[in-house]
Amino acid sequence: MNNAKIAGLGCGALAGIGALAVIIILAIYGITWNNTAVAKSEAVQSQWANVESSYQRRSDLIPNIVATAKQYAEFEQETLTGVIEARAKATSVNVDASNLTAEQIQAFSEAQGAVSSGLGRLLATYENYPNLKANENFKELINELERTENRINVERNRYNDTVQVYNLQIKKFPGSILASFLGFDESPYFKADEGAQNAPKVGDLFNN
């Protein structure tokens, strides 16, 4: 075997080793990227669960608030009925956390916005009833509602922050190529209906 052939074999071997090294590096990058994307996707689902949990806490408070207000026979029944119906509709909206879509979140947001509007009317109306306003149990329920509304706002913001981190992961090049190949889809942000992002001004009712 002459020197030219030996040199040719040496170059071929080096090229093969180089190609193998590139493949290994790409494989390691792909595995690392995939694991990171999975973790961030799970974080989005987990944070959405926190959003739903906060809204569920508000939903759990409503029956007690309504039941206490009903003790005052003159209280506007239409207002109470509106809150109850809005709550029933909101609790019937199901969102698949493992397959979040903009349509699902929009439906959820609209239903919860109706609850917020109903609660706002109830709180504005009950100020006209001094005896109800002085009820210690009702005061505590309203205070808990205020804390819950604040928690809802915090969890929604955290959800959107988590979505932003995940979406950047799958939209930045070259991750966008891997995302398309591995089936990672963009997650939707929580966009409240106009005005629904504002919690009822519960605390103001006790500052008169």
Side-chain angles (χ1 to χ4, degrees):
M1 184 177 294
N2 57 37
N3 292 335
K5 289 184 178 181
I6 294 175
L9 288 174
C11 290
L14 289 175
I17 293 173
L20 180 61
V22 169
I23 292 173
I24 292 174
I25 291 172
L26 290 176
I28 292 173
Y29 174 80
I31 292 171
T32 302
W33 186 94
N34 179 77
N35 290 341
T36 301
V38 167
K40 291 179 179 178
S41 176
E42 288 294 324
V44 169
Q45 295 180 46
S46 176
Q47 186 54 44
W48 176 256
N50 291 339
V51 172
E52 288 189 313
S53 177
S54 296
Y55 276 111
Q56 182 61 53
R57 174 56 183 159
R58 182 176 73 170
S59 180
D60 291 343
L61 286 170
I62 290 174
N64 290 330
I65 291 173
V66 170
T68 304
K70 274 186 174 181
Q71 296 176 19
Y72 297 81
E74 74 277 14
F75 197 89
E76 284 87 343
Q77 295 302 305
E78 183 179 351
T79 299
L80 297 180
T81 300
V83 174
I84 294 171
E85 290 178 348
R87 175 185 181 272
K89 181 177 180 180
T91 54
S92 69
V93 177
N94 297 316
V95 178
D96 182 3
S98 65
N99 185 32
L100 290 169
T101 65
E103 291 75 18
Q104 286 180 327
I105 292 183
Q106 179 64 25
F108 182 89
S109 173
E110 290 176 355
Q112 296 297 340
V115 175
S116 295
S117 296
L119 284 171
R121 286 191 295 272
L122 187 153
L123 294 174
T125 302
Y126 110 94
E127 193 177 25
N128 300 323
Y129 300 89
N131 291 335
L132 177 58
K133 192 172 181 180
N135 184 298
E136 291 300 323
N137 181 51
F138 199 74
K139 281 185 178 180
E140 180 53 36
L141 287 170
I142 296 304
N143 287 335
E144 182 60 28
L145 176 62
E146 181 177 22
R147 291 190 289 269
T148 301
E149 292 286 356
N150 291 335
R151 174 53 56 184
I152 286 172
N153 188 53
V154 169
E155 297 298 351
R156 280 195 314 234
N157 289 338
R158 287 179 177 173
Y159 168 78
N160 282 343
D161 289 342
T162 306
V163 167
Q164 181 183 41
V165 171
Y166 167 72
N167 284 347
L168 285 174
Q169 169 80 12
I170 68 169
K171 292 172 76 173
K172 282 184 174 181
F173 183 83
S176 57
I177 297 175
L178 289 172
S180 177
F181 179 73
L182 296 173
F184 288 95
D185 297 320
E186 181 178 356
S187 284
Y189 288 96
F190 190 106
K191 298 179 181 178
D193 294 336
E194 185 175 356
Q197 71 274 16
N198 300 316
K201 301 298 183 181
V202 181
D204 294 347
L205 299 175
F206 298 103
N207 295 327
N208 295 327

